[in-house]
Amino acid sequence: MCDRILEKLAILADAAKYDVSCSSSGSDRKNNNQGLGNGHKSGICHAYTADGRCVSLLKILLTNHCIYNCAYCVSRSSNDIKRAAFTVQEVVDLTIQFYRRNYIEGLFLSSGIFRDPDYTMERLVRIAKKLRTEHRFNGYIHLKAIPGASESLLREAGLYADRLSINVEMPTEQSLQLLAPEKKRTDMLHPMKYLSNEITQYQHDKKIFKKTPLFAPAGQSTQMVIGATPENDMQILFMSHYFYQKMQLKRVYYSGYIPISYDNRLPAIGTPVPMIREHRLYQADWLMRFYGFGVEEIVNPDYPLLDMDIDPKLSWALRNLHLFPVDINKADLSLLLRVPGIGVSSAQKIVAARRFHTLHYEHLKKIGISFSTARYFITTKADGFRERDLTPMQIKQQLLTIQRSKYRPNFSPQLQLF
Ligand code: SF4
């Protein structure tokens, strides 16, 4: 590989690390023995950077040149950094070469904005099209759609990419106006709505016509920067709820703001990245998508902030102790899912196992629930034992003590990719 390409790779892979939306879940593109690669449900090899972010092995920007000057972005036009841009063919060649060497299982491609949204989007689409049609590349492709790009380009992108995403960037319009005054919220929301309609149409057609061409089979996602502006968790999660309900988004990603700018509109350089908050938001998001929680159960005007000490499900249970303990041999699945320490697969195993015999605490441990947490919230008539008469604060303190002692001896730094 020539030095110039290597240099571009170093610049544009580094610039791409701020984009966290890189999960490939949801795509199941099959190789029919006529092409290269597969897009499995877990299609991209995931790795974790030192700060805990998930990255794919070929995760790059087409360019870090940008006509805009969003205050929170390292690629903003006023930032004095090394700039680079790949050509369409260079990205195609890199993807194919890396794939053949087994370095990657897919491509995550984002970009700064060269001249205008369509000019940039057209290049992103050409890359995906070349990969699919000229190289018969079946691996996973995630394209970042450019806000403001035309519907015809979005439509074409959907024919070649597994997932499309448009970053909403800020949780509210006011914050976007403050930090990225050149950008319009509608330039993000309109394409999202357009894609949502197209994806719904595709899913409908697919049921009727077997040969319906794929259209963004892994759906669309977005990303919000957290902690750069003063929105509380309630505002953020209600916005996510809106995206899930109205735009049928597959994922909302939360990216804790990394202070990179000397700008009095933003937290000062040196302010810690809000990693715990980001983690709690993901847990809350998980509750909405997989555990049947309504957003207002997790955050509401009485509890606008997530508890940073404990996960949101435990926090909810401690606020609703009157609903517990639940009888593990009788409670329906939706109630089991609300027990702290019981995950989705454990709850399903409990429901399946109790068809054949009465469950005791020993069975639950074998099923794999976190018994040290769940024991405060469950009972079985067979055992007759449960923790009684503890206040929410006492339960919280006891659990925090157990968790701290449990993890301290095992603590080791995460493996680093770079
Ligand atoms: S438009 Fe995108 S790449 Fe350009 S400065 Fe804003 S966030 Fe960064």
Side-chain angles (χ1 to χ4, degrees):
M1 198 179 294
C2 78
D3 288 350
R4 181 58 190 146
I5 296 286
L6 278 174
E7 190 188 5
K8 285 187 192 182
L9 198 52
I11 295 169
L12 295 170
D14 188 61
K17 74 186 178 194
Y18 297 100
D19 217 316
V20 294
S21 0
C22 64
S23 162
S24 65
S25 57
S27 187
D28 200 11
R29 179 186 296 277
K30 294 267 184 330
N31 190 336
N32 55 10
N33 288 332
Q34 294 176 336
L36 181 67
N38 264 315
H40 290 295
K41 281 192 193 311
S42 54
I44 291 182
C45 281
H46 292 132
Y48 293 89
T49 56
D51 60 0
R53 267 148 223 288
C54 176
V55 293
S56 70
L57 293 183
L58 186 56
K59 180 177 177 186
I60 50 174
L61 299 188
L62 175 63
T63 181
N64 64 345
H65 289 279
C66 193
I67 55 171
Y68 292 129
N69 197 32
C70 310
Y72 47 82
C73 178
V74 73
S75 301
R76 66 192 183 280
S77 57
S78 65
N79 203 12
D80 186 15
I81 52 166
K82 264 193 174 177
R83 306 275 174 179
F86 283 122
T87 64
V88 168
Q89 194 58 46
E90 282 169 350
V91 177
V92 171
D93 291 345
L94 275 175
T95 308
I96 296 298
Q97 284 175 27
F98 280 15
Y99 199 97
R100 285 195 195 283
R101 289 177 200 169
N102 218 11
Y103 292 170
I104 58 161
E105 292 183 77
L107 170 68
F108 176 95
L109 186 60
S110 183
S111 184
I113 300 173
F114 276 120
R115 188 188 296 169
D116 59 52
D118 273 357
Y119 183 85
T120 311
M121 189 71 209
E122 195 260 338
R123 274 156 182 71
L124 298 180
V125 172
R126 263 170 49 205
I127 289 167
K129 184 174 181 179
K130 264 178 175 271
L131 282 168
R132 294 282 190 234
T133 56
E134 291 178 22
H135 296 273
R136 312 187 88 156
F137 179 72
N138 279 304
Y140 183 79
I141 298 179
H142 181 160
L143 287 188
K144 279 281 163 160
I146 305 294
S150 65
E151 289 183 357
S152 59
L153 283 168
L154 290 173
R155 164 98 202 130
E156 216 184 338
L159 297 176
Y160 305 115
D162 290 281
R163 175 167 287 185
L164 292 167
S165 53
I166 299 163
N167 284 355
V168 72
E169 307 288 13
M170 290 292 133
T172 60
E173 189 163 3
Q174 295 88 311
S175 294
L176 190 71
Q177 273 175 8
L178 178 72
L179 298 180
E182 301 146 303
K183 281 170 128 178
K184 291 196 204 92
R185 189 80 158 176
T186 48
D187 284 347
M188 298 153 187
L189 297 184
H190 282 162
M192 266 188 205
K193 191 70 202 160
Y194 172 77
L195 287 176
S196 168
N197 292 340
E198 290 294 311
I199 290 168
T200 306
Q201 185 64 42
Y202 155 70
Q203 286 165 347
H204 173 263
D205 291 353
K206 190 174 65 163
K207 287 183 197 146
I208 303 168
F209 309 108
K210 210 174 159 209
K211 298 215 162 168
T212 302
L214 289 176
F215 186 88
Q220 61 166 331
S221 57
T222 192
Q223 175 181 321
M224 275 191 256
V225 179
I226 302 306
T229 44
E231 286 86 6
N232 62 27
D233 299 325
M234 183 174 74
Q235 287 170 288
I236 291 164
L237 288 171
F238 269 81
M239 184 49 70
S240 302
H241 175 72
Y242 170 81
F243 287 134
Y244 289 131
Q245 296 299 309
K246 302 288 182 204
M247 308 284 192
Q248 283 84 40
L249 256 61
K250 272 279 170 110
R251 288 290 305 267
V252 176
Y253 290 89
Y254 307 96
S255 173
Y257 174 67
I258 301 170
I260 43 169
S261 299
Y262 291 100
D263 188 315
N264 57 17
R265 293 170 292 175
L266 285 162
I269 299 237
T271 308
V273 179
M275 297 303 293
I276 297 282
R277 187 176 179 205
E278 183 185 293
H279 178 60
R280 296 288 178 228
L281 284 166
Y282 277 121
Q283 289 177 319
D285 192 283
W286 214 257
L287 293 184
M288 291 195 286
R289 291 186 298 128
F290 299 112
Y291 286 77
F293 279 79
V295 61
E296 67 292 337
E297 294 181 282
I298 304 166
V299 278
N300 53 53
D302 292 333
Y303 299 98
L305 305 178
L306 296 172
D307 188 332
M308 292 298 115
D309 290 336
I310 55 175
D311 69 76
K313 188 167 154 189
L314 177 56
S315 177
W316 172 84
L318 293 178
R319 296 199 302 268
N320 292 279
L321 265 189
H322 60 282
L323 299 174
F324 298 98
V326 303
D327 187 336
I328 219 75
N329 284 298
K330 287 193 182 147
D332 63 21
L333 181 66
S334 61
L335 194 49
L336 289 175
L337 285 171
R338 290 179 172 243
V339 176
I342 297 184
V344 174
S345 77
S346 301
Q348 288 165 342
K349 283 184 199 164
I350 289 168
V351 172
R354 70 190 186 190
R355 282 197 213 118
F356 303 103
H357 57 87
T358 304
L359 297 181
H360 294 257
Y361 288 126
E362 288 311 311
H363 296 126
L364 297 179
K365 288 179 191 168
K366 284 184 193 151
I367 279 173
I369 73 165
S370 171
F371 189 74
S372 59
T373 305
R375 70 194 184 114
Y376 295 96
F377 305 97
I378 56 175
T379 187
T380 77
K381 269 210 172 133
D383 298 288
F385 160 83
R386 68 176 172 89
E387 296 285 340
R388 285 169 199 280
D389 302 330
L390 293 174
T391 65
M393 188 50 77
Q394 286 169 324
I395 295 174
K396 182 175 171 178
Q397 286 308 333
Q398 288 189 14
L399 283 172
L400 284 175
T401 310
I402 293 168
Q403 282 168 6
R404 280 189 199 114
S405 59
K406 191 161 102 187
Y407 292 114
R408 192 172 294 129
N410 295 329
F411 180 77
S412 62
Q414 199 163 42
L415 291 176
Q416 295 192 2
L417 179 65
F418 299 114

